[in-house]
């Protein structure tokens, strides 16, 4: 008889106002004893939105969010501190720092812009991806280890190819146990998955973790699916780039970029 503790149904559990405990579902792809950055990126947005809720009513929305990954994301409780760097009625800059064991491991900045009715001039590519309901799930865990990858529902539009894949990503897990999270936070909690859906080389032979993630949005995403139209490029001197057009069910919502450090897996 299995007497073990059931796995939680969230990526994080709140400890106090600023601290969170990661669950097994955050386990990393490069090292299962580390946090995968993807859910942590969503948690940062969750913390930013809680900070904004304490301020005066505003119609500002996030238009760019950039993350710099400063060090190892240990599978341990983390603290998120948020402050307003540049307040404003039409443009605002927010900064968040993630600390593990009192050491900064992620710094993030979010530019917020005013909402204005520009529907009369709205234009741009509007190609919609095949909806996920019409696609077959792909066992991404056959390529990558870790609790985070195992927690996903991944549905590629076509069989993944080296350096090129378009796929829908979703999850049944909450971001923070017992707390509602916004559509934006839940959406961004899946974006960092892009670097793993279009592997150019097997992760057993080559390492190519990203040291940053920058997301630009021309509109706010809707729904529970994150669409990733991803291309991975390796340069000749150890650097790489993962570029993604971001989609929801209504079409493109923006772009994401990730800089990679590319190197062979060390001999053991």
């Amino acid at each position: 008889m299995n007497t073990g503790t059931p796995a939680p149904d969230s990526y994080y559990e709140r400890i106090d106002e600023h601290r969170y405990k990661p669950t097994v579902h955050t386990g990393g792809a490069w090292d299962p004893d580390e946090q995968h950055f993807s859910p942590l990126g969503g948690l940062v947005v969750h913390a930013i939105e809680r900070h904004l809720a304490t301020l005066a009513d505003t119609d500002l929305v996030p238009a760019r969010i950039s993350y710099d990954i400063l060090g190892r994301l240990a599978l341990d409780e983390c603290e998120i501190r948020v402050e307003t760097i540049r307040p404003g009625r039409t443009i605002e800059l927010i900064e968040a720092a993630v600390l593990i064991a009192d050491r900064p491991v992620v710094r993030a900045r979010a530019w917020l812009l005013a909402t204005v009715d520009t529907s009369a001039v709205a234009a741009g590519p509007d190609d919609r991806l095949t909806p996920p309901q019409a696609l077959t799930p792909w066992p991404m865990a056959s390529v990558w280890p870790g609790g985070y990858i195992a927690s996903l529902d991944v549905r590629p539009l076509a069989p993944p190819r080296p350096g090129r894949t378009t796929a829908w990503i979703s999850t049944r897990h909450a971001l923070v146990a017992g707390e509602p999270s916004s559509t934006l936070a839940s959406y961004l909690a899946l974006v960092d998955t892009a670097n793993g859906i279009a592997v150019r080389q097997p992760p057993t032979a080559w390492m190519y973790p990203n040291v940053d993630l920058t997301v630009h949005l021309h509109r706010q995403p809707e729904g529970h699916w994150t669409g990733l139209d991803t291309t991975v490029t390796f340069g000749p001197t150890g650097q790489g780039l993962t570029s993604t057009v971001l989609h929801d069910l209504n079409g493109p919502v923006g772009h994401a970029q990730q800089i990679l450090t590319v190197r062979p897996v060390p001999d053991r």
Side-chain angles (χ1 to χ4, degrees):
M1 182 175 66
N2 183 4
T3 59
T5 302
D9 61 358
S10 65
Y11 290 104
Y12 293 92
E13 297 172 343
R14 179 176 295 281
I15 299 172
D16 59 25
E17 180 63 20
H18 300 291
R19 294 186 300 147
Y20 302 84
K21 176 184 176 182
T23 73
V24 295
H25 302 303
T26 67
W30 294 108
D31 184 346
D33 292 327
E34 297 179 3
Q35 295 183 54
H36 196 291
F37 179 71
S38 207
L40 185 57
L43 184 66
V44 167
V45 175
H46 185 69
I48 288 174
E49 291 175 334
R50 286 175 58 88
H51 169 77
L52 294 173
T54 67
L55 307 177
D57 290 341
T58 176
D59 290 329
L60 305 182
V61 296
R64 191 214 72 181
I65 303 172
S66 62
Y67 308 87
D68 290 309
I69 303 170
L70 307 178
R72 181 176 182 268
L73 306 177
L75 199 64
D76 199 357
E77 69 176 55
C78 56
E79 178 183 0
I80 304 180
R81 294 285 179 174
V82 183
E83 62 177 317
T84 301
I85 301 298
R86 193 270 193 198
R89 291 179 296 176
T90 59
I91 300 174
E92 191 160 275
L93 180 62
I94 307 294
E95 184 174 83
V98 181
L99 296 90
I100 297 178
D102 296 322
R103 183 176 182 177
V105 294
V106 175
R107 291 196 182 274
R109 283 192 163 192
W111 278 107
L112 281 68
L113 306 181
T115 56
V116 181
D117 184 2
T118 54
S119 56
V121 296
D126 59 359
D127 295 338
R128 298 188 183 188
L129 303 180
T130 304
Q133 293 78 6
L135 303 172
T136 301
W138 172 53
M140 193 172 173
S142 65
V143 179
W144 296 99
Y148 171 70
I149 296 300
S151 76
L152 300 177
D153 183 353
V154 183
R155 303 194 183 192
L157 273 67
R161 294 185 287 125
R164 189 74 181 92
T165 300
T166 302
W168 291 104
I169 313 291
S170 186
T171 180
R172 62 180 180 83
H173 298 298
L175 187 55
V176 180
E179 295 183 21
S181 57
S182 71
T183 298
L184 179 63
S186 298
Y187 183 96
L188 291 178
L190 301 173
V191 168
D192 190 70
T193 316
N195 191 41
I197 65 171
V199 295
R200 186 164 284 283
Q201 292 293 332
T204 52
W206 287 85
M207 301 180 67
Y208 34 93
N210 54 300
V211 301
D212 81 331
L213 170 64
T214 300
V215 175
H216 289 89
L217 299 169
H218 62 264
R219 68 174 176 86
Q220 299 297 290
E222 302 174 3
H224 302 292
W225 288 90
T226 298
L228 306 173
D229 184 358
T230 297
T231 300
V232 177
T233 302
F234 287 174
T237 57
Q239 299 83 50
L241 176 64
T242 296
S243 301
T244 302
V245 180
L246 300 172
H247 287 254
D248 64 11
L249 294 178
N250 295 317
V253 301
H255 292 77
Q257 304 278 349
Q258 298 159 280
I259 286 293
L260 318 178
T261 172
V262 183
R263 55 191 185 273
V265 171
D267 293 333
R268 299 188 186 279

